[in-house]
Amino acid sequence: MTAEPVIVMAQVTKRFGGVAAVEQLSLTIGKGEIVAIVGRTGSGKSTAMQAIIGTFPVDAGRIRVAGRDPYAERRTLRGQLAVAFQTDRLLPWRRAWENVAIGLEIFHVPRPRREAIAREWLARVKMAGAEQKYPHELSGGMRQRVSFARALAVDPAIVLLDETFSQLDELTSRELRNDFMALVRSLGKTSILITHRIDEALEVGDRVVVLRTPGHVVHEAAPTPDDRADPERMAKLRTEIKAVMAD
Ligand SMILES: Nc1ncnc2c1ncn2[C@@H]1O[C@H](COP(=O)(O)OP(=O)(O)OP(=O)(O)O)[C@@H](O)[C@H]1O
Ligand SMILES: [Mg+2]
């Protein structure tokens, strides 16, 4: 990896009630890299992401996000990190554009400017025309698009996705993933996508990192465009990942 590191985790351990959810996890992610994290349920994926967000202090090891301690300096990092979860978490009483503009309110952007920025981002996620709609008037996939627009509207340097595409049907999920990850890439964001799906990880990640309980890296793959164009190579990468996951 040649890019300047944006996320650094070194020997990180996080315990809940004495039980390690993440143990001695080391992972470095460079600027503009897209890293997919896979692992079985309970392997510590979400815990690792929460540690990067600064939800809690860790018990041991060192984490730096854009050179800062994400827990101690979470106020400074606010706005640099965008997070999208499995559910869209939109506010039902707010129109699509108002949902997109939420993050901008925190930064005291005046209303007309907020509306203009929200409109721009809705167009980028292919939701032009839906500005005035309420979440209940939109399909699940459309709501996720609005949720992405909201995440990106504050222009974060880092985009974290935890099972974001998992709840939709396979076609919608793939379409959304392709659109969104292409956008993330074209904007040069540094990104982590957590997923259960090995195929999704191999399609999206510059690197695919496999976690095993209790939360440490057991395998890495770096699928190239040539790999992705070759079903046999993809099958081999998939088999390798499956094997380390099952161990
Ligand atoms: N807030 C918490 N309090 C107590 N235990 C927790 C907490 N968060 C996670 N854990 C435990 O830590 C371990 C790792 O959980 P985590 O949610 O990070 O796994 P995961 O890989 O994201 O799983 P999944 O694929 O199901 O989302 C699990 O054993 C879980 O029960
Ligand atoms: Mg999880």
Side-chain angles (χ1 to χ4, degrees):
M1 185 179 52
T2 49
E4 118 196 32
V6 170
I7 298 170
V8 179
M9 303 182 85
Q11 308 271 80
V12 171
T13 295
K14 173 67 189 174
R15 295 183 200 96
F16 292 109
V19 181
V22 158
E23 196 168 70
Q24 304 257 331
L25 174 62
S26 296
L27 181 62
T28 299
I29 300 176
K31 191 171 187 318
E33 250 194 321
I34 297 178
V35 172
I37 300 182
V38 287
R40 291 165 68 167
T41 184
S43 57
K45 304 182 295 296
S46 297
T47 302
M49 183 172 283
Q50 294 299 333
I52 291 167
I53 298 167
T55 307
F56 39 61
V58 295
D59 297 301
R62 181 185 141 95
I63 310 182
R64 287 293 176 273
V65 176
R68 297 177 185 278
D69 179 318
Y71 180 72
E73 301 177 84
R74 56 195 181 283
R75 280 210 182 77
T76 318
L77 283 171
R78 190 173 70 173
Q80 292 212 49
L81 279 168
V83 187
F85 297 96
Q86 193 169 19
T87 54
D88 54 69
R89 302 192 180 187
L90 297 179
L91 300 177
W93 59 87
R94 282 184 166 227
R95 297 177 189 276
W97 85 262
E98 293 167 325
N99 266 290
V100 174
I102 286 171
L104 302 168
E105 283 167 29
I106 300 166
F107 295 104
H108 307 295
V109 179
R111 183 185 157 113
R113 181 83 194 113
R114 287 205 305 270
E115 192 163 356
I117 295 173
R119 187 176 291 276
E120 222 173 90
W121 282 104
L122 282 168
R124 287 202 183 123
V125 299
K126 302 185 177 170
M127 286 297 287
E131 293 81 6
Q132 304 300 330
K133 296 245 196 286
Y134 286 96
H136 76 266
E137 298 177 279
L138 303 170
S139 71
M142 290 163 127
R143 285 201 299 271
Q144 278 290 20
R145 287 180 185 271
V146 175
S147 173
F148 292 151
R150 177 180 60 188
L152 293 173
V154 296
D155 195 22
I158 300 162
V159 178
L160 304 174
L161 306 160
D162 192 349
E163 301 281 3
T164 305
F165 308 107
S166 300
Q167 242 180 18
L168 303 159
D169 69 78
E170 201 170 325
L171 274 179
T172 310
S173 164
R174 183 177 308 142
E175 206 177 278
L176 215 61
R177 178 178 76 220
N178 290 345
D179 282 358
F180 194 58
M181 295 321 284
L183 193 55
V184 164
R185 195 175 287 287
S186 74
L187 295 165
K189 310 283 186 200
T190 303
S191 184
I192 299 179
L193 171 71
I194 289 180
T195 177
H196 277 100
R197 299 183 184 164
I198 298 174
D199 285 322
E200 178 167 280
L202 285 168
E203 267 169 52
V204 165
D206 298 318
R207 280 156 65 207
V208 176
V209 170
V210 184
L211 289 198
R212 195 188 294 160
T213 310
H216 62 280
V217 177
V218 287
H219 183 75
E220 276 211 34
T224 63
D226 281 351
D227 291 333
R228 290 199 181 97
D230 182 341
E232 257 176 58
R233 288 201 211 173
M234 286 299 268
K236 185 166 172 281
L237 290 171
R238 200 180 302 122
T239 307
E240 284 168 7
I241 292 174
K242 257 195 194 145
V244 286
M245 271 172 75
D247 259 354

